[in-house]
Amino acid sequence: MKKAFITGITGQDGSYLAELLLEKGYEVYGMVRRSSNENYERVAHLRDKVTFTQGDLADQSSLDEAIKDIMPDEVYNLAAQSFVPTSWNQAVLTTDITGLGVTRILEAVRKHKPDAKFYQASSSEMFGKVQEIPQTEKTSFYPRSPYGVAKVYGHWITVNYRESYDLFACSGILFNHESPRRGLEFVTRKVTNTVAKIKLGLAQELRMGNMDAMRDWGFAGDYVYAMWLMLQQDQPDDYVIATGETHSVCELIEIAFDSVGLKAKNYVVTDQKFFRPAEVDQLIGNPEKARKSLGWISKTSFEGLIRMMVDEDLRLLKK
């Protein structure tokens, strides 16, 4: 039985990945930070199937102990300060966790389990002010937020450890991927949750920032399968994981309201406080390499994803 160690297991991607690995017969371990308030909501249904260990990407010793104790076959580093707007207010924290944290866990793997296969969660936010459309594995990075800058560091330190120490280390450059498990602070879930509230008479308006921003949105459940596929290859490499389609925030809003029989124009209000200091206008990935090398494709349509999220938010609010 293979052992897998997941940092960020209580997040959206971590919960879907844990489910996938359990289905494939893995022994799954997940790292959680010590907190007075436990946040196991997304993995509550897996509590008796996953072994949780305390640790933090800011603390080298906890990572060393986790790798030494578990001796995993595969390590998936999904933990991060992952909300882009927060990265301006907490730039140093974001740099430490999202950037330097990658070095710390790579060091733990290098010292204690160098034959483990390592996955790093890179991000389309690294492309930022895009240098070409669509973006591929060879597109130059131009990050437009402290989060994006930290992710660039995490990406290149993974490449460096792969080339310097011959580690099996991969980076998945994942474009926006959403689900009903997405945090309420993210734009997709903010929209679907507020639309559900408006439909049920619990809210009167949806306040938004830049609705012209274009993104390549997919379903997180599809994307974690690509993570696993990367670590099943003979050689480590980096891959863009995307749908190859781009949609505006305005389209997202229209689909969400339409799914409950309402007109967006009657409820949406523009609010300057939700605009970023430096905007990323358009992201669209070219997943051709992943399709050819991994046999991976995105299965869930954009409209299907948004309707899925609205339906689940309606269910949760009624409950």
Side-chain angles (χ1 to χ4, degrees), residues 6-303:
I6 305 172
T7 72
I9 194 169
T10 58
Q12 170 190 255
D13 292 6
S15 65
Y16 281 112
L17 179 61
E19 288 176 346
L20 173 68
L21 295 176
L22 287 168
E23 289 173 5
K24 293 188 174 297
Y26 280 68
E27 192 174 333
V28 178
Y29 295 80
M31 188 178 81
V32 293
R33 285 180 295 165
R34 170 72 178 88
S35 172
S36 57
N37 296 313
E38 288 189 346
N39 182 22
Y40 290 87
E41 179 183 352
R42 296 183 183 92
V43 290
H45 59 300
L46 305 175
R47 288 292 293 267
D48 61 342
K49 300 176 183 177
V50 172
T51 302
F52 295 96
T53 183
Q54 288 187 2
D56 197 308
L57 287 183
D59 181 61
Q60 185 70 59
S61 63
S62 66
L63 299 174
D64 287 338
E65 290 304 311
I67 298 298
K68 280 196 294 184
D69 290 346
I70 298 165
M71 297 299 282
D73 299 289
E74 297 174 3
V75 176
Y76 296 86
N77 183 40
L78 310 185
Q81 190 302 99
S82 59
F83 189 45
V84 175
T86 297
S87 74
W88 274 285
N89 294 328
Q90 299 182 24
V92 175
L93 174 68
T94 301
T95 300
D96 187 36
I97 302 302
T98 306
L100 290 176
V102 185
T103 306
R104 295 188 187 105
I105 192 161
L106 281 166
E107 270 293 285
V109 171
R110 181 185 71 83
K111 290 186 292 186
H112 306 296
K113 193 65 166 65
D115 63 336
K117 294 185 174 182
F118 179 83
Y119 172 83
Q120 165 61 14
S122 288
S123 169
S124 60
E125 286 286 331
M126 300 189 303
F127 295 121
K129 189 175 181 179
V130 297
Q131 301 301 290
E132 64 177 351
I133 298 173
Q135 293 88 57
T136 73
E137 294 80 5
K138 296 181 179 180
T139 302
S140 298
F141 299 139
Y142 196 139
R144 298 269 280 172
S145 67
Y147 170 79
V149 173
K151 279 293 185 182
V152 170
Y153 174 88
H155 179 86
W156 281 117
I157 200 67
T158 301
V159 172
N160 185 262
Y161 269 63
R162 178 171 71 215
E163 296 178 351
S164 301
Y165 301 113
D166 199 28
L167 295 184
F168 192 109
C170 300
S171 285
I173 307 173
L174 270 59
F175 280 63
N176 295 66
H177 49 290
E178 316 297 324
S179 77
R181 300 178 190 175
R182 181 54 109 178
L184 289 169
E185 70 272 23
F186 288 85
V187 67
T188 48
R189 186 76 193 289
K190 172 185 175 178
V191 169
T192 62
N193 183 259
T194 304
V195 166
K197 284 182 176 179
I198 291 172
K199 178 64 177 178
L200 297 175
L202 302 174
Q204 287 74 48
E205 64 182 17
L206 170 63
R207 305 189 74 84
M208 296 296 298
N210 180 15
M211 290 181 283
D212 295 324
M214 307 285 287
R215 294 291 184 272
D216 184 328
W217 276 296
F219 173 48
D222 293 339
Y223 284 35
V224 297
Y225 182 57
M227 299 177 188
W228 177 77
L229 284 172
M230 289 180 210
L231 299 197
Q232 311 316 306
Q233 305 307 302
D234 293 331
Q235 297 295 327
D237 208 344
D238 306 321
Y239 300 88
V240 162
I241 304 300
T243 68
E245 299 177 3
T246 188
H247 301 274
S248 68
V249 174
C250 188
E251 285 181 77
L252 157 65
I253 294 168
E254 294 282 352
I255 292 171
F257 274 104
D258 182 68
S259 71
V260 296
L262 298 175
K263 296 293 184 182
K265 65 181 181 180
N266 297 329
Y267 303 97
V268 179
V269 177
T270 301
D271 190 331
Q272 289 297 318
K273 77 176 183 181
F274 294 117
F275 282 75
R276 295 182 179 185
E279 184 58 79
V280 173
D281 296 312
Q282 181 178 19
L283 294 174
I284 177 171
N286 181 349
E288 188 66 14
K289 180 178 175 181
R291 186 186 68 79
K292 288 183 175 179
S293 300
L294 304 178
W296 179 87
I297 57 169
S298 178
K299 296 181 179 179
T300 306
S301 71
F302 176 64
E303 183 173 344

